[in-house]
Amino acid sequence: MQLANGGPEIEQLIQLLARLPGLGPRSARRAVLQLIKKKEQLMIPLSAALDRAVEAVRTCEVCGNVDTINPCSICSDPRRGDSGMLIVVEDVADLWALERAGVGAVRYHVLGGVLSPLDGIGPDDISINELIARAHEFREIVLAVNATVEGQTTAHYIMDRLGETEIKVSRLAHGVPVGGELDYLDEGTLSQALKARTAI
């Protein structure tokens, strides 16, 4: 028997929040209770911000980033035109992570996922064709995809598609993380780190 959570509106709010990554039903319930307790300071401003975001947020037609302008602020920045480097990422979250890391005045391309034949995701389901169409504008394409089977499959497919061009294609280094201890790393990471070793 499920306990009542104060009415259908509250229950719906809990269910919607529970769909967000990192929030399960218990965390969503705690978040909703906090919103209710601080209605004036949290719930009303959050509701207004969500309404504004629904109207304002756009997907960039150039790179796939999300912003309130289209093209996005990264694609519109004239200082980013000189690097000649395009970093390809799986998702907007990856783009934001690279920006937080301060990788420099580069441009991006968001694939919107990875190739996964088992899930029915092929080249036409993510923005690979759009990437190939943009590639000639850059000297180097950096494939910053995750080190998963699907990520590596996607990287190989893109490298094959770009193989006939003169564009340099590289990928992020994989291996020992900064501050990592060898004893705590898995065998695959250690093996990759040894293969990708560099001179000191």
Side-chain angles (χ1 to χ4, degrees):
M1 178 176 145
Q2 187 174 2
L3 296 174
N5 286 316
E9 294 85 358
I10 294 174
E11 185 58 37
Q12 182 186 28
L13 191 53
I14 292 169
Q15 289 175 4
L16 288 170
L17 285 178
R19 292 182 191 172
L20 294 174
L23 285 181
R26 296 175 94 184
S27 298
R29 192 170 289 111
R30 285 195 296 272
V32 167
L33 287 173
Q34 189 67 17
L35 287 169
I36 292 168
K37 285 179 188 175
K38 301 199 176 210
K39 188 175 180 180
E40 298 295 323
Q41 298 96 334
L42 287 175
M43 187 181 275
I44 292 171
L46 177 61
S47 174
L50 287 170
D51 285 341
R52 287 192 303 274
V54 166
E55 294 299 319
V57 173
R58 305 279 179 265
T59 300
C60 178
E61 62 191 18
V62 177
C63 74
N65 187 20
V66 291
D67 203 331
T68 55
I69 59 172
N70 184 18
C72 71
S73 53
I74 291 174
C75 291
S76 301
D77 186 349
R79 295 171 296 177
R80 292 180 182 259
D82 299 332
S83 78
M85 181 185 294
L86 180 71
I87 300 180
V88 179
V89 295
E90 291 180 21
D91 195 69
V92 173
D94 302 325
L95 185 159
W96 289 0
L98 288 165
E99 280 294 288
R100 281 194 311 273
V103 295
V106 300
R107 294 195 184 272
Y108 298 94
H109 185 87
V110 179
L111 292 171
V114 287
L115 297 176
S116 179
L118 292 175
D119 297 321
I121 301 172
D124 295 332
D125 299 311
I126 58 178
S127 66
I128 290 179
N129 292 329
E130 292 83 352
L131 168 62
I132 303 305
R134 292 181 71 194
H136 70 277
E137 302 170 22
F138 301 93
R139 292 187 300 276
E140 181 178 3
I141 307 288
V142 179
L143 301 176
V145 294
N146 292 323
T148 60
V149 171
E150 294 84 1
Q152 297 311 301
T153 301
T154 305
H156 286 296
Y157 180 83
I158 292 169
M159 285 189 288
D160 287 346
R161 291 279 306 268
L162 293 172
E164 299 172 4
T165 68
E166 298 294 318
I167 302 162
K168 177 182 176 184
V169 181
S170 59
R171 59 172 47 172
L172 292 182
H174 299 143
V176 179
V178 174
E181 297 181 32
L182 297 184
D183 189 37
Y184 292 102
L185 299 177
D186 63 274
E187 293 81 10
T189 300
L190 283 171
S191 174
Q192 185 62 43
L194 190 58
K195 288 178 189 171
R197 66 190 181 276
T198 56
I200 298 176

